[in-house]
């Protein structure tokens, strides 16, 4: 059965769209919006006629291990053995490090490094993004704007069905919506695409991941004059940060604040693990001179994982003591509102309210909200 549900568009992770209001039509740009409408309708018809896209994959323990190390977490869970190959007794090259055992549950959000896109470089867009779910030209400039992830439970609402290392998992992808939008202030057109991914193991559906992607018009190819002009007007990039991503957490009552700083190395490794070649995350010339950012951009999915890591760390749950059901929230909904950059020291502020809900804001060094989220616990 084909789904035609509509996802409310989220604000994309770019300073150019911060605080903008969208409209479905505009009298001053009727012909332009008609073009966007036709492209959105054609895109939706094409994918609904194709039906769900299905892939199967066995969850590799090494992918999980490398993600944990990329996140500067030397152990997957508090009770786990160290994952790093470095010891005081032997050179790192001679020590393999601890392998993650089959059956180990994936922490919340860590499914994002599996089922990565698989395309030849010649099949990628000019900005490096894969074009698997792109509307037609010119709406090919994709940004991850937000979404919602839920972890499925049994009929009683208690026992969770986690994804585990070694499981054969099926991913089912459906395009839910494609809507033309116009930024009221500038008249800029874009298309908001809603996609749902279900991840199922032998126990049934384990994770439902709904994502909102914003597609803006493609940028013209960079020229030497463009590079020279933008380089002279934009602030310099942040100095390189030689140390691993910092991570300190302070709690005061129901408010918990974690300070993070992602390095260029972290962003590069995360791009590699997710097989995400989007140039804004690793190419400073592209990010700054073409896209208009002051530095390379922290991934939206990386921010999502950082929020979920803080949430599970506060609960101290790792599944080893019967706490498996509390390791996963019921769901998280999130929206990216402003970019974060390599070298920025930013804060994740989680405020636990009454009942099972937690409200999260990621704050840039300037105090701007980079991402908002709401977590519903169990």
């Amino acid at each position: 059965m084909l789904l035609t549900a509509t996802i409310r568009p989220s604000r994309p992770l770019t300073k150019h769209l911060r605080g903008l209001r969208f409209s479905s039509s505009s009298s001053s740009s009727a012909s332009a919006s008609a073009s966007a409408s036709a492209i959105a309708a054609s895109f939706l018809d094409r994918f609904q006629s194709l039906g769900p896209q299905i892939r199967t994959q066995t969850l590799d323990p090494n992918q999980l291990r490398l993600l944990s190390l990329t996140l500067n977490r030397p152990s997957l869970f508090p009770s786990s053995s160290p994952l790093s190959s470095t010891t005081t007794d032997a050179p790192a090259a001679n020590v393999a490090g601890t392998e993650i055992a089959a059956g180990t549950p994936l922490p919340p959000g860590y499914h994002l490094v599996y089922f990565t896109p698989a395309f030849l470089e010649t099949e990628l867009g000019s900005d490096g993004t894969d074009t698997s779910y792109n509307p037609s030209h010119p709406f090919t400039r994709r940004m991850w704007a937000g979404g919602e992830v839920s972890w499925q439970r049994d009929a009683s609402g208690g026992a969770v069905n986690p994804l585990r290392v070694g499981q054969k998992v099926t991913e089912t992808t459906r395009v839910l919506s494609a809507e033309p939008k116009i930024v009221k202030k500038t008249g800029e057109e874009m298309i908001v695409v809603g996609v749902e991914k279900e991840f199922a193991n032998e126990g049934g559906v384990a994770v439902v991941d709904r994502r909102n992607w914003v597609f803006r018009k493609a940028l013209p190819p960079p020229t030497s004059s463009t590079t020279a002009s933008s380089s002279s007007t934009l602030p310099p990039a942040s100095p390189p940060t030689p140390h691993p991503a910092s991570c300190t957490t302070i709690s005061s009552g129901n408010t918990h604040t974690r300070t993070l700083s992602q390095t260029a190395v972290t962003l590069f490794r995360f791009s590699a693990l997710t097989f995400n070649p989007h140039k804004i995350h690793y190419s400073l010339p592209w990010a700054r001179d073409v896209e208009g950012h002051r530095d390379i951009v922290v991934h939206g999915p990386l921010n999502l994982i950082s929020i979920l890591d803080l949430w599970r760390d506060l609960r101290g749950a790792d599944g080893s003591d019967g706490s498996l059901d509390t390791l996963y929230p019921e769901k998280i909904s999130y929206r990216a509102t402003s970019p974060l950059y390599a070298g920025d020291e930013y804060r994740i502020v989680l405020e636990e309210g009454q009942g099972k809900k937690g409200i999260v804001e990621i704050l840039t060094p300037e105090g701007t909200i980079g991402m908002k989220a709401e977590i519903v616990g169990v």
Side-chain angles (χ1 to χ4, degrees):
M1 180 178 67
L2 299 180
L3 301 182
T4 58
T6 298
I7 296 179
R8 177 177 295 177
S10 302
R11 295 181 182 178
L13 181 62
T14 171
K15 63 183 178 182
H16 302 295
L17 299 182
R18 183 188 305 150
L20 300 183
R21 295 183 177 182
F22 297 111
S23 172
S24 297
S25 62
S26 172
S27 58
S28 62
S29 56
S31 60
S33 63
S35 173
S37 298
I39 291 173
S42 174
F43 169 85
L44 189 59
D45 287 345
R46 175 163 59 94
F47 275 95
Q48 291 194 336
S49 65
L50 289 173
Q53 306 298 298
I54 298 174
R55 297 190 292 173
T56 301
Q57 185 176 114
T58 300
L59 301 187
D60 172 27
N62 192 53
Q63 187 80 342
L64 184 57
R65 176 183 178 230
L66 294 178
L67 174 60
S68 188
L69 295 177
T70 297
L71 299 173
N72 200 35
R73 299 177 71 95
S75 298
L76 188 63
F77 299 111
S79 62
S80 301
S81 300
L83 299 174
S84 173
S85 59
T86 302
T87 71
T88 58
D89 300 322
N94 296 330
V95 181
T98 301
E99 173 129 3
I100 297 176
T104 300
L106 269 61
Y110 284 34
H111 68 282
L112 290 166
V113 297
Y114 294 95
F115 292 95
T116 57
F119 295 94
L120 296 171
E121 185 174 339
T122 54
E123 298 173 316
L124 301 175
S126 60
D127 60 357
T129 56
D130 76 86
T131 59
S132 51
Y133 290 96
N134 279 19
S136 300
H137 183 81
F139 297 98
T140 57
R141 188 181 173 199
R142 188 179 75 185
M143 290 165 289
W144 191 307
E148 179 180 286
V149 185
S150 60
W151 290 266
Q152 305 303 292
R153 288 172 160 78
D154 62 16
S156 67
V160 71
N161 171 31
L163 297 175
R164 296 179 182 271
V165 169
Q167 285 182 334
K168 187 175 181 180
V169 174
T170 299
E171 175 204 63
T172 302
T173 302
R174 300 178 179 89
V175 174
L176 302 180
S177 61
E179 298 180 275
K181 296 292 176 182
I182 296 175
V183 180
K184 288 184 177 180
K185 186 175 181 179
T186 65
E188 180 187 1
E189 294 179 281
M190 57 193 64
I191 294 175
V192 181
V193 172
V195 173
E196 178 186 81
K197 292 179 176 288
E198 285 186 351
F199 300 90
N201 54 21
E202 62 270 19
V205 176
V207 180
V208 178
D209 184 340
R210 292 184 174 179
R211 305 169 185 178
N212 293 339
W213 292 328
V214 168
F215 290 89
R216 300 172 68 191
K217 288 186 177 180
L219 292 166
T223 63
S224 56
S225 60
T226 299
T227 301
S229 174
S230 60
S231 296
S232 63
T233 57
L234 288 169
S238 304
T241 311
H243 54 79
S246 62
C247 179
T248 58
T249 306
I250 298 174
S251 296
S252 177
N254 292 328
T255 301
H256 312 279
T257 303
R258 173 166 289 177
T259 302
L260 288 170
S261 178
Q262 307 291 3
T263 68
V265 172
T266 299
L267 301 189
F268 179 83
R269 294 172 88 181
F270 190 78
S271 288
L273 283 170
T274 54
F275 209 53
N276 178 6
H278 195 176
K279 294 178 184 177
I280 63 170
H281 301 305
Y282 60 87
S283 172
L284 180 58
W286 182 276
R288 182 173 59 186
D289 301 334
V290 179
E291 298 271 7
H293 294 284
R294 63 173 170 81
D295 211 323
I296 55 174
V297 180
V298 179
H299 309 68
L302 179 55
N303 289 326
L304 173 61
I305 290 175
S306 295
I307 291 173
L308 291 166
D309 274 347
L310 172 58
W311 187 90
R312 72 179 174 101
D313 287 345
L314 292 172
R315 278 144 187 80
D318 61 11
S320 63
D321 57 356
S323 60
L324 184 61
D325 293 335
T326 61
L327 177 62
Y328 304 89
E330 178 182 330
K331 66 178 179 179
I332 181 171
S333 54
Y334 62 100
R335 184 180 65 179
T337 56
S338 187
L340 295 161
Y341 297 109
D344 280 353
E345 188 172 84
Y346 60 93
R347 291 173 292 143
I348 304 176
V349 181
L350 190 161
E351 184 173 350
E352 296 184 283
Q354 295 181 348
K356 302 175 181 179
K357 289 186 179 181
I359 303 299
V360 184
E361 292 182 344
I362 296 183
L363 302 176
T364 70
E366 298 77 25
T368 303
I369 298 175
M371 181 175 281
K372 294 180 179 181
E374 180 179 282
I375 304 180
V376 179
V378 293

